[in-house]
């Protein structure tokens, strides 16, 4: 759902931006083309090894992804089961195509995850695998890890099973297409149940004290041969679909914890001082957080179109810090909970795009089947937190630096203009502000009267595309 788009109209700015984004790849030492030996090994992997023993082509799976996606990690099939439901969630069988310690595996360990740059994607695996042979594309047989999650009438998981099987996706939908069908009352089968189950899972999240920000954010999009910034809010179907992924990740974590082997996605709970500081911020913004309301419930009640609420959500994002991965074999981590989700959690639903998921799937399938975890997976678990940490840091740097350069290009020909801005936070003598149009976040000097949530007039002093630096000044 696009709320706002800001174009970069000047061809000179587009050219300068393209150069800046290319230079960014070099400065961050991002991976480029796959080495020849990696491509050769990927090309030789024509089928899953070993082939799956089960056949679940009786289930009419479908995929829901962003428009144009080819690296389809997940397919879903939803059905009623007595008073509850059964969710079958098929995940691309990357372990079946990537040999441990082979050239594709070693290259993937160096990359860590698919990187999303403004000027193109940098995939984790060669496209012949990620966009073809392993991807859960419609109308073709695929090997997959198939989760079977039985839910009660309230949407709580009561049983979990995982097996490798042959599956076939019957339809590929974009989020927009799926939402349109649901809104028009034209959804049937799995899509008709997605809203029902998704809403129950949101209630489960509320009950356990979890929180989902799902706040609007600026995205870089291709536009008329160049780039644009666009504010985008999640569609409801994206939230419901995400709930299935979260549910699967929590079920995977439970299997790992019970077996005392695996790797969890962890995040410590914020300490009392940080919570108190956030409460003070919400008061200052005129959107106080009542003591009687949980953190997640408070965030769910915010108006996503309200500038003060936008500032609250930005502050909330800083409340939870320190996310990482913790591998274990024999001793469960002392604090296994991912605090924002409010439950133990593992990454297992995006193996085409994230390295760690391959291990999670292999561990969970072995545990579910009552077999020993393969030696290669067990022996390399300890290396994953460091590999994913480096990769996550690289992805964060790429995202923030790319957005900064596009923001500068959007503003490049508007130096000297006056804008209205909302103060998001104050850091010493600087204020972080959000422009409404174009949707740019930048800093400017703060006076002793500047407060979060305040609307202030600012003037654009400079915008440097090469570095992404944008300088604002208070107008009054």
């Amino acid at each position: 759902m696009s709320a706002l788009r800001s174009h970069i109209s000047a061809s000179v700015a587009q050219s300068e931006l393209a150069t800046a984004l290319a230079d960014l790849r070099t400065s961050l030492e991002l991976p480029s083309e796959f080495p020849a030996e990696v491509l050769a090994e990927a090309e030789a992997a024509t089928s899953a090894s070993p082939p799956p023993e089960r056949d679940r082509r009786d289930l009419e799976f479908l995929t829901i992804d962003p428009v144009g996606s080819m690296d389809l990690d997940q397919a879903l099939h939803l059905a009623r089961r007595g008073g509850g439901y059964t969710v079958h969630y098929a995940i691309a069988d990357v372990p079946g195509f990537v040999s441990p310690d082979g050239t594709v595996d070693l290259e993937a360990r160096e990359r860590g995850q698919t990187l999303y740059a403004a000027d193109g994607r940098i995939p984790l695996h060669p496209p012949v695998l990620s966009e073809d042979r392993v991807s859960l594309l419609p109308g073709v047989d695929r090997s997959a890890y198939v989760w079977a999650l039985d839910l009660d009438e309230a949407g709580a998981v009561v049983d979990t099973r995982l097996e490798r099987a042959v599956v076939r996706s019957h339809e590929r939908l974009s989020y927009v297409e799926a939402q349109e069908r649901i809104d028009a009352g034209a959804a049937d089968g799995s899509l008709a149940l997605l809203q029902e189950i998704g809403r129950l899972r949101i209630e489960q999240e509320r009950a356990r004290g979890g929180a989902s920000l799902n706040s609007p954010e600026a995205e870089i999009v291709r536009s008329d041969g160049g780039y644009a910034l666009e504010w985008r809010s999640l569609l409801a179907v994206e939230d419901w679909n995400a709930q299935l992924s979260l549910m699967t990740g929590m079920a995977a974590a439970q299997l790992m914890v019970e077996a005392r082997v695996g790797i969890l996605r962890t995040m410590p709970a914020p300490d009392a001082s940080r919570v108190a500081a956030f409460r003070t911020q919400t008061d200052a913004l005129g959107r106080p957080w009542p003591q009687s309301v949980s953190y997640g419930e408070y965030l769910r009640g915010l108006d996503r179109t309200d500038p003060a609420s936008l500032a609250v959500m930005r502050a909330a994002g800083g409340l939870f810090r320190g996310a990482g991965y913790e591998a274990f074999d024999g001793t469960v981590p002392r604090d296994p909970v991912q605090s924002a989700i409010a439950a133990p959690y593992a990454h297992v639903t995006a193996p085409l795009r994230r390295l760690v998921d391959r291990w999670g799937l292999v561990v969970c399938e072995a545990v579910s089947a009552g077999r020993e975890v393969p030696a290669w997976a067990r022996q390399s678990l300890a290396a994953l937190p460091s590999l994913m940490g480096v990769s996550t840091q690289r992805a964060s740097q790429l995202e923030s630096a790319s957005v900064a350069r596009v923001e500068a290009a959007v503003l490049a020909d508007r130096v000297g203009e006056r804008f209205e801005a909302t103060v998001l936070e104050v850091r010493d003598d600087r204020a972080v502000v959000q422009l409404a149009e174009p949707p740019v976040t930048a800093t400017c000097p703060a006076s002793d009267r500047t407060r979060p949530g305040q609307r202030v007039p600012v003037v654009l002093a400079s915008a440097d595309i090469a570095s992404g630096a944008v300088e604002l000044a208070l107008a009054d």
Side-chain angles (χ1 to χ4, degrees):
M1 184 180 300
S2 301
L4 186 65
R5 175 177 286 197
S6 296
H7 296 273
I8 308 164
S9 56
S11 59
V12 173
Q14 290 283 11
S15 176
E16 189 176 345
L17 175 61
T19 300
L21 293 173
D23 290 345
L24 179 60
R25 288 182 178 238
T26 301
S27 66
L28 293 179
E29 299 181 347
L30 301 183
S32 55
E33 298 297 323
F34 286 97
E37 60 271 21
V38 174
L39 294 174
E41 183 178 288
E43 190 63 46
T46 57
S47 60
S49 179
E53 297 179 358
R54 296 296 306 276
D55 187 337
R56 295 316 315 262
R57 285 176 290 183
D58 58 309
L59 300 173
E60 292 195 2
F61 283 101
L62 66 87
T63 61
I64 310 176
D65 292 274
V67 175
S69 295
M70 293 294 290
D71 52 344
L72 309 183
D73 285 292
Q74 311 115 14
L76 59 91
H77 178 270
L78 313 179
R80 297 193 185 278
R81 180 191 61 86
Y85 312 86
T86 294
V87 174
H88 282 100
Y89 207 41
I91 308 300
D93 182 14
V94 177
F97 286 81
V98 177
S99 300
D101 296 320
T103 59
V104 174
D105 177 29
L106 296 179
E107 180 71 14
R109 295 191 197 200
E110 286 293 321
R111 294 180 178 231
Q113 62 186 288
T114 294
L115 297 174
Y116 296 90
D119 54 350
R121 222 165 35 92
I122 303 174
L124 174 63
H125 301 103
V128 69
L129 297 180
S130 61
E131 298 182 10
D132 185 6
R133 295 172 187 169
V134 190
S135 178
L136 301 179
L137 298 168
V140 291
D141 294 343
R142 287 290 185 256
S143 177
Y145 282 78
V146 181
W147 293 88
L149 304 169
D150 290 337
L151 282 56
D152 64 17
E153 65 280 358
V157 176
V158 295
D159 189 47
T160 301
R161 304 173 300 282
L162 176 61
E163 61 185 6
R164 287 178 74 238
V166 177
V167 302
R168 176 177 283 228
S169 172
H170 286 249
E171 188 170 22
R172 173 175 60 180
L173 294 177
S174 70
Y175 287 123
V176 172
E177 291 169 333
Q179 189 69 60
E180 287 175 346
R181 284 195 197 176
I182 293 171
D183 292 345
D188 57 10
S190 295
L191 189 59
L193 282 176
L194 180 57
Q195 177 177 5
E196 187 174 332
I197 295 174
R199 286 177 171 173
L200 289 175
R201 290 304 305 176
I202 291 171
E203 288 302 315
Q204 290 289 323
E205 179 180 76
R206 178 179 286 113
R208 69 175 184 270
S212 298
L213 279 175
N214 297 336
S215 56
E217 58 184 28
E219 289 189 346
I220 301 168
V221 296
R222 291 277 189 171
S223 176
D224 300 326
Y227 303 94
L229 270 182
E230 181 178 290
W231 273 115
R232 180 180 176 278
S233 298
L234 289 182
L235 295 168
V237 72
E238 293 180 75
D239 198 5
W240 303 328
N241 197 45
Q243 287 294 331
L244 299 187
S245 181
L246 289 171
M247 176 178 67
T248 305
M250 288 185 283
Q254 183 176 350
L255 287 177
M256 293 178 185
V257 168
E258 290 176 354
R260 298 181 178 275
V261 59
I263 181 164
L264 301 178
R265 179 65 165 165
T266 59
M267 180 186 289
D271 58 31
S273 62
R274 194 179 298 169
V275 172
F278 177 64
R279 283 193 184 278
T280 300
Q281 284 179 294
T282 66
D283 290 338
L285 291 165
R287 304 292 182 270
W289 175 17
Q291 292 284 345
S292 60
V293 176
S294 70
Y295 172 77
E297 190 67 23
Y298 168 68
L299 292 180
R300 276 185 287 271
L302 293 173
D303 179 0
R304 267 46 175 177
T305 64
D306 171 37
S309 293
L310 180 65
V312 168
M313 286 186 283
R314 180 183 175 87
L319 188 60
F320 291 93
R321 295 174 181 167
Y325 294 90
E326 190 158 355
F328 59 100
D329 191 352
T331 302
V332 176
R334 184 174 61 181
D335 184 8
V337 172
Q338 207 278 18
S339 57
I341 293 173
Y345 176 66
H347 276 155
V348 293
T349 62
L352 289 174
R353 291 167 285 159
R354 196 168 47 212
L355 177 73
V356 67
D357 298 51
R358 177 153 46 104
W359 275 255
L361 287 169
V362 167
V363 170
C364 287
E365 192 273 335
V367 170
S368 182
R371 298 194 310 270
E372 286 293 319
V373 174
W376 73 264
R378 200 159 204 154
Q379 292 166 3
S380 53
L381 273 174
L384 288 174
S386 176
L387 292 175
M388 292 306 301
V390 170
S391 175
T392 300
Q393 183 178 27
R394 181 191 295 137
S396 178
Q397 290 173 334
L398 173 62
E399 178 182 10
S400 60
S402 296
V403 169
R405 283 155 178 76
V406 175
E407 287 179 337
V410 167
L411 291 168
D413 62 350
R414 302 181 67 176
V415 172
E417 284 191 32
R418 180 185 175 115
F419 300 87
E420 289 298 315
T422 300
V423 178
L424 300 180
E425 59 182 298
V426 179
R427 304 170 182 167
D428 299 324
D429 61 347
R430 304 287 296 178
V432 179
V433 300
Q434 176 69 56
L435 305 186
E437 167 52 29
V440 170
T441 304
T443 65
C444 69
S447 72
D448 56 4
R449 298 185 303 277
T450 305
R451 296 289 182 271
Q454 182 180 1
R455 297 296 296 272
V456 295
V458 296
V459 172
L460 178 62
S462 63
D464 181 61
I465 299 174
S467 66
V470 171
E471 183 64 28
L472 301 171
L474 292 174
D476 295 326

